[in-house]
Amino acid sequence: MSANTLGCLLNRANLKRVMRQSPTGFLGASRHFSVSTFSQYSKEKVTILGSGWAGFRLAKDLNPDKYEVSLISPRNHFVFTPLLASTSVGTLEFRNICETIRHHNPNVNFVEGTCEDIDFANRKLKVATSFTTSPDLHSFEMGYDKLIVAVGARVNTFGIKGVQENAYFLKEIKDAQKIRRRVMDCFEKASLPGASEETKKRVLNFAVVGGGPTGVEFSAELHDFVKEDLSRIYPNLMPYVRMTLYDVAPKILTAFDSRLTEYATKLFSREGIRIQTRTSVLELKRDSMILNTGKEIPVGLVVWATGVTETPLIASLGEKVRKQNKRLVTDDRLRLLSAASGQVIDENVYGLGDCASIRDNAIACTAQAAEQQARYLVKVLNKGMSENTPPFQFHNRGVMAYLGNWNAIVELKDPTPSNSSLTLSGKPATIKQAGRVAWFLWRSAYMSKSVSWRNRIFIPFYWFMTYVFGRDVSRF
């Protein structure tokens, strides 16, 4: 293959990249690289950080004929987080909410590791792998043409003493597995022949900190598990079981309409789930927690669901990028902004999902926001960004939460309302439901939003299996 032919196949930038890959230079590359290899190098290299709602959607839908896509994440799967609470008590199995990255897009170059630093000037990433036992595989550098930062966020402990060591979180599959084991440990410990009254009261006192949808749904799922399954196995322990939901706000579920919040509060009260608002945790010990009221409460399990904060990568970027409330700041086309100038740091570097916030348009850290941003960026990159590219616009489709015992609350909004769906005030119509109808809408929405047909089939199947045979109480 002659040099003229190669010049037609490759632009100048990609030609330099090929020359760098070959120790013999350009002529060596012509002898040792096939046409298919040159086709690969003619693609732009897009590197995605994170396999959450945003990162997974981008890796799945970016045009493989146009981009060479790499995804860096410490996990090789996507987690359908809205149903994570269901897996923690056995309503669903863990694989029902997982989607393997390589399965959905075999063309993606997946790297199991964590990005520790970004060199924006030289377009380099410092990556640490999960294989710490092999020194030669521990860390390395990767280059990129386009970079998409979608590393999500981690649970916010607010620096409270003992929370990181003693609380249980609900962000990953491994978190749900730990909770499931802990619940069973508590009941088995309380059922021991020598267990005292004080021990039974302590280990069967379950606390959830955080009155948002995550905390409320886990409380509901745990209540169903105890009432429908564990009560048959441990009937003598039921008088000792206590469940309490703590929150610093005046009420729970502040994102919902006040009437729906009131419905949830009354339902929890009838079902025996205590709600303690205007209450914060000062310290969390191994078997107890100290509240701002001065009381020390003995507990067997504390699930922490109080919001999110920045990941180590975002914290390490320091003054390189602009931040607000510990989130990266982007323009309305999702491009990262420089901390020094306030301008776009690089036309080819984007931030989206929980780790980023749009300038002058802060959006809550939700799955629907991350997925909408990913869909927008997929269209932009597949078609090519230009000056006429419209800015990203978030369409709030509403919120929903499961309350237990076949009850839920749902507040749905029409993202693209027609004239007939407008209220007298000119605002989009909103559907507000509570009870059994809302429960049906909740299950239908989560089932339909599952990424694969495999899980769209398995999720209702396991719901039916749980209804007929009950939840599995085995400890793994």
Side-chain angles (χ1 to χ4, degrees), residues 30-175:
S30 67
R31 290 194 300 267
H32 298 291
F33 282 77
S34 65
V35 175
S36 60
T37 305
F38 286 125
S39 177
Q40 177 184 359
Y41 279 112
S42 66
K43 303 177 186 177
E44 280 191 285
K45 184 175 182 180
V46 177
T47 302
I48 304 168
L49 304 181
S51 58
W53 284 88
F56 179 77
R57 175 60 61 181
L58 284 157
K60 183 173 179 289
D61 293 343
L62 281 176
N63 187 353
D65 295 328
K66 187 174 183 180
Y67 298 110
E68 179 189 347
V69 181
S70 297
L71 190 147
I72 303 172
S73 175
R75 67 186 190 195
N76 69 347
H77 57 274
F78 161 78
V79 179
F80 191 84
T81 50
L83 291 176
L84 198 55
S86 297
T87 65
S88 66
V89 297
T91 305
L92 291 173
E93 286 304 310
F94 300 113
R95 294 192 181 276
N96 296 157
I97 64 170
C98 289
E99 303 288 349
T100 306
I101 294 168
R102 295 182 187 274
H103 174 75
H104 282 271
N105 191 344
N107 296 314
V108 171
N109 302 317
F110 174 74
V111 177
E112 185 172 328
T114 303
C115 180
E116 294 184 327
D117 193 23
I118 304 174
D119 183 353
F120 294 106
N122 297 306
R123 294 187 175 181
K124 294 283 187 180
L125 304 174
K126 180 182 178 182
V127 181
T129 72
S130 305
F131 310 104
T132 56
T133 56
S134 302
D136 57 325
L137 298 176
H138 179 56
S139 63
F140 54 89
E141 285 189 345
M142 285 184 63
Y144 65 86
D145 295 322
K146 294 182 184 293
L147 177 66
I148 301 168
V149 183
V151 294
R154 59 176 175 172
V155 178
N156 195 350
T157 64
F158 301 98
I160 299 173
K161 184 179 179 180
V163 172
Q164 192 68 47
E165 298 80 10
N166 301 312
Y168 289 76
F169 307 110
L170 201 56
K171 291 284 288 182
E172 303 285 348
I173 290 293
K174 61 182 180 181
D175 296 330

